[in-house]
Structure formats: structure tokens, C-alpha cells
Amino acid sequence: MKKSILVLFFFLFSFSSHGKGNYTPEQLIDKAKAFVAAKNARQQPNTTIKEIENYISLLSDNFIDEHVKFKFTYTDKAKLREDMINKLKDEVIHSSIEVNEIMVGANVVFIKMTESGKVKPSHINKTIEYSKTNIVSLEFDKSGLVKHIRRHHG
């Protein structure tokens, strides 16, 4: 079922990108890996503002970061930065991302990844351990920046 949904998304985005296939599959895979590495680096025990800024630098000025399951969207870099800096107050025991699969289309990448970690958020008095497989789509603009992220949380 999940594979069918992934294939459906692949075709929808491949045909909806208006033939702008500026990037080779290899370039898109490299961009996907850079995104995952930056995402992972910004949620480690030793994360600093430098890692947050690196992550944000991958986003276009008019980005959309859509968390589909939670019906939540970011479109403002200043607000995203503020929220990420606030998360530095959390105690991260460990966090990792394993890429399970990458599919590419015209200026779009689909990443199936397993995110796991153990975190004690600053606003609650308990540690949360998680391991979820999620699907993320990344659409890129002409300059190679991420213009749309769709997160399909597991």
C-alpha cells in the first residue's frame, strides 16, 4: 500500500513540474542526501545555530514546508529559525535518520526514511523515544533550492 502511494506521488509530481527537468537524477539524489544530512545535523545532542542556518540555507525564500498528517505548514524562514532555535533547549540523547529509498522525478525527490531518536523536550518531564518511517517529497526551484517539502509522517 505504501509503495503504491509512493509511486502515485512520483507520477503526480513528475508530470506537474511543467517539464522543468533541470536536474539529473544523480543531482537530485545528491540534493536529497544533502537535505537529509542537514536535517539530521540540526537535531543532534551538540547541534548549534550553525547547523540550523545550514538547513535553512537549503530552502528558497518562498518555501513551503508542509506536515501533511498534522495539517501544519511553515512558509516563513524567520519563524522556522525561531522554532528550531527554541528546540535547542530540548535534551537530545540520540537522533538518526536512515534513508531507505529515494525516487526521483522532474525536479522532485521522494525520500523514504526511518527517523529514530530519544529526546527529552524542555516543556515536559519525560523522555520520548521514537522510530518512524516517513516519506518526504522535495521540490526544487531553478536555483536548486527546496521550494516545497511535503512530510508524510508514519
Side-chain angles (χ1 to χ4, degrees):
M1 175 67 177
K2 286 183 183 180
K3 243 187 179 135
S4 298
I5 292 171
L6 189 61
V7 170
L8 176 64
F9 283 131
F10 173 76
F11 285 114
L12 287 174
F13 286 107
S14 292
F15 295 115
S16 69
S17 65
H18 308 294
K20 295 181 192 172
N22 300 333
Y23 302 104
T24 66
E26 294 78 17
Q27 290 171 316
L28 289 168
I29 289 170
D30 288 345
K31 289 181 178 301
K33 288 178 179 178
F35 175 85
V36 171
K39 179 179 179 355
N40 195 38
R42 69 170 178 81
Q43 52 196 31
Q44 294 301 312
N46 59 348
T47 293
T48 66
I49 293 175
K50 179 183 174 186
E51 287 82 22
I52 291 169
E53 291 301 331
N54 180 54
Y55 176 83
I56 290 174
S57 75
L58 300 175
L59 306 176
S60 73
D61 288 338
N62 299 315
F63 80 101
I64 300 169
D65 183 355
E66 185 178 1
H67 297 252
V68 176
K69 178 178 180 178
F70 302 111
K71 296 179 175 68
F72 181 80
T73 302
Y74 277 106
T75 57
D76 181 351
K77 280 187 179 182
K79 176 63 175 153
L80 177 62
R81 180 181 289 109
E82 177 186 329
D83 288 354
M84 287 182 176
I85 289 171
N86 283 335
K87 283 188 172 260
L88 292 176
K89 297 174 190 168
D90 296 348
E91 179 188 350
V92 178
I93 293 98
H94 70 85
S95 179
S96 68
I97 301 174
E98 178 187 341
V99 174
N100 307 113
E101 190 174 352
I102 297 177
M103 293 176 64
V104 297
N107 287 357
V108 67
V109 177
F110 295 90
I111 309 165
K112 179 180 176 184
M113 59 187 166
T114 301
E115 299 182 61
S116 59
K118 188 173 184 179
V119 180
K120 184 187 173 300
S122 62
H123 63 283
I124 61 174
N125 195 19
K126 98 179 196 186
T127 302
I128 298 170
E129 199 159 358
Y130 61 90
S131 182
K132 293 279 186 181
T133 299
N134 302 312
I135 296 172
V136 175
S137 67
L138 305 174
E139 292 180 60
F140 297 94
D141 66 12
K142 291 178 183 178
S143 62
L145 297 173
V146 177
K147 68 177 182 179
H148 199 151
I149 304 167
R150 283 187 183 87
R151 301 171 192 265
H152 301 272
H153 299 271

